[in-house]
Amino acid sequence: MKINARYKDLKDSYLFSTIARRVAAYTAAHPEKAVIRLGIGDVTLPLCPAVVEAMRKAVAEMGEKETFRGYGPEQGYDFLAEAIGAYYAERGIVLDRSEIFVSDGAKSDLGNILDLFDPDNAVLIPDPVYPVYVDTNIMAGRAIRYMDAGEENGFLPLPDEGEKADLIYLCSPNNPTGAVYNREQLRLWVDYALANDAVILFDAAYEAFVRDPALPRSIFEIEGARRCAIEFCSFSKTAGFTGTRCGYTVVPQELERGGLSLNGMWLRRQTTKFNGVPYIVQRGAAAVFTPEGQRQIRENIDYYRENARIIASALREKGVWFTGGENSPYIWLKCPDGLDSWAYFDRLLEEANVVGTPGGGFGRNGEGFFRLTAFGDRADTEEAVRRLARM
């Protein structure tokens, strides 16, 4: 019997599990210390009232024989898919119902989508990067090529005509750096993918944080993207569904490779390996797109955006180099005093009792940088900034 020996090529543990263990050890040794967590990108505000009310009604429906629902469609109920389609239509993007697949989150789909592609495909991934992109491809045994992101390109790498790849991961607004591609930059990537018969896997989990109308929130705002891109989105950061779990993936009908429709392949994969998102959760997700839901989640996003502004303003006053913090919930800063990222993690924890995320955990080019998140409580964020200022 053989196992998947590629798991030996993975790091010992997932980045955030390592952070959790180190913080747990510190708090156990120093129970008197009030630790503020600005590391993992979990939200702190509750689900908005419109979502909660929709879910309550759905729970009541499930308690009545006349309205009870069993297995639902694996690709999602029509009421949610149609609401998602209308959301895209507001930005001039027309999606067919069959192109929208509801899931339990972008993280799952970003890994599961690899079922559609041969292990021999070459993968192009930015560095630094969200670890899931790397780990899922290592598990599948694919050759990974990294594109350098750094201060010199604003952590937004562009195509290199000398580099050929089959799969391309792009995340904008970016996790971990907070950087956002403009339209011309994304157009270069779409042109590259079309010229090389590649597929862009576009992670748009943070699109709701983009307020600058000049910046694209979807890859499908770029002409030609429907023939070379798949888009992943999530309700986690948009509407606080980190613990509720719901997202969606858009696979255009025009997207074909090897004589097969990737839309048809994804449908076949989902109907075989996935039983769909609970009806109650989908009713809550659909409420996000109602006028009241949109107003309420916008208030929550504005709360996090203000947290980001507070952190960014403090760093700017101290002369610390950073990106993000404007159209993104993440602030990516340069470690002071030439410290490496894990050394700065320890210093921040010990001297300020603040937890962030070491950039080195996101890849080689993340070394010397550090990620802070704006998803914390306002009072905690303000206190964390005061502590940072005193260091």
Side-chain angles (χ1 to χ4, degrees):
M1 194 276 282
K2 295 182 179 180
I3 61 168
N4 185 350
R6 301 182 191 99
Y7 274 69
K8 293 187 296 184
D9 297 328
L10 296 169
K11 292 182 179 178
D12 289 340
S13 67
Y14 187 52
L15 169 62
F16 298 106
S17 299
T18 302
I19 292 172
R21 284 201 306 272
R22 293 174 79 145
V23 174
Y26 179 83
T27 55
H30 305 278
E32 77 284 1
K33 301 291 187 181
V35 174
I36 297 176
R37 301 169 191 268
L38 299 182
I40 192 167
D42 198 1
V43 295
T44 52
L45 295 177
L47 297 172
C48 71
V51 169
V52 173
E53 181 58 27
M55 294 178 77
R56 281 182 178 143
K57 289 180 179 178
V59 169
E61 288 180 38
M62 296 296 279
E64 300 290 337
K65 182 176 177 61
E66 294 75 18
T67 51
F68 172 79
R69 297 176 186 243
Y71 288 124
E74 293 91 344
Q75 63 271 42
Y77 285 100
D78 286 344
F79 63 79
L80 177 53
E82 289 166 3
I84 293 169
Y87 179 66
Y88 274 80
E90 292 174 1
R91 287 172 275 157
I93 301 170
V94 179
L95 300 178
D96 187 79
R97 163 65 187 94
S98 65
E99 297 173 328
I100 301 168
F101 297 82
V102 178
S103 73
D104 60 358
K107 181 178 180 180
S108 298
D109 281 2
L110 282 160
N112 293 333
I113 199 73
L114 296 176
D115 282 1
L116 275 56
F117 304 102
D118 192 278
D120 288 338
N121 285 325
V123 184
L124 194 57
I125 297 179
D127 181 342
V129 69
Y130 179 43
V132 170
Y133 305 163
V134 175
D135 290 351
T136 51
N137 278 285
I138 289 175
M139 292 172 183
R142 287 187 181 83
I144 299 175
R145 299 169 188 168
Y146 293 97
M147 42 185 168
D148 289 330
E151 288 183 74
E152 68 284 351
N153 57 18
F155 285 93
L156 293 169
L158 294 175
D160 178 354
E161 294 302 329
E163 184 75 76
K164 302 301 179 185
D166 304 299
L167 295 173
I168 304 161
Y169 282 85
L170 298 179
C171 179
S172 181
N174 186 268
N175 178 17
T177 69
V180 186
Y181 279 109
N182 62 34
R183 294 181 194 280
E184 183 54 36
Q185 289 169 328
L186 283 186
R187 184 172 290 108
L188 291 174
W189 275 116
V190 168
D191 290 346
Y192 172 89
L194 291 172
N196 290 278
D197 203 32
V199 174
I200 295 171
L201 304 178
F202 190 78
D203 186 349
Y206 304 96
E207 58 84 19
F209 284 83
V210 176
R211 292 293 169 79
D212 185 344
L215 296 174
R217 292 163 54 189
S218 168
I219 191 70
F220 299 121
E221 294 179 38
I222 310 302
E223 186 177 355
R226 290 180 60 86
R227 293 182 284 119
C228 67
I230 297 173
E231 182 159 293
F232 306 83
C233 207
S234 168
F235 291 94
S236 289
K237 309 305 164 50
T238 300
F241 274 54
T242 51
T244 310
R245 307 310 305 149
C246 194
Y248 55 90
T249 293
V250 178
V251 187
Q253 289 286 359
E254 294 97 315
L255 184 56
E256 296 184 357
R257 292 294 183 272
L260 292 175
S261 162
L262 268 64
N263 180 284
M265 292 174 68
W266 185 239
L267 176 63
R268 186 67 174 87
R269 189 266 174 209
Q270 292 297 81
T271 53
T272 301
K273 293 188 175 184
F274 183 59
N275 255 358
V277 176
Y279 171 72
I280 295 165
V281 173
Q282 291 195 55
R283 278 297 183 191
V288 168
F289 298 107
T290 64
E292 190 67 7
Q294 285 289 289
R295 182 186 65 78
Q296 291 168 359
I297 67 164
R298 190 178 183 90
E299 289 176 357
N300 286 1
I301 291 171
D302 283 345
Y303 179 95
Y304 296 132
R305 283 171 53 84
E306 176 61 13
N307 283 351
R309 188 201 64 77
I310 290 169
I311 297 170
S313 178
L315 294 175
R316 198 173 290 115
E317 287 180 12
K318 291 291 183 180
V320 177
W321 187 96
F322 70 94
T323 63
E326 189 171 348
N327 290 289
S328 165
Y330 295 122
I331 297 91
W332 181 253
L333 62 100
K334 196 169 187 177
C335 297
D337 303 328
L339 291 173
D340 68 55
S341 57
W342 279 105
Y344 187 58
F345 173 89
D346 291 334
R347 178 178 170 185
L348 204 61
L349 180 59
E350 292 166 6
E351 295 186 19
N353 306 140
V354 172
V355 177
T357 309
F362 295 103
R364 175 176 55 84
N365 289 343
E367 188 50 75
F369 293 88
F370 203 78
R371 192 191 77 173
L372 295 175
T373 171
F375 287 120
D377 174 79
R378 175 64 48 75
D380 283 348
T381 300
E382 292 173 338
E383 173 59 21
V385 164
R386 284 192 288 271
R387 295 181 188 181
L388 286 168
R390 289 196 296 266
M391 284 181 62

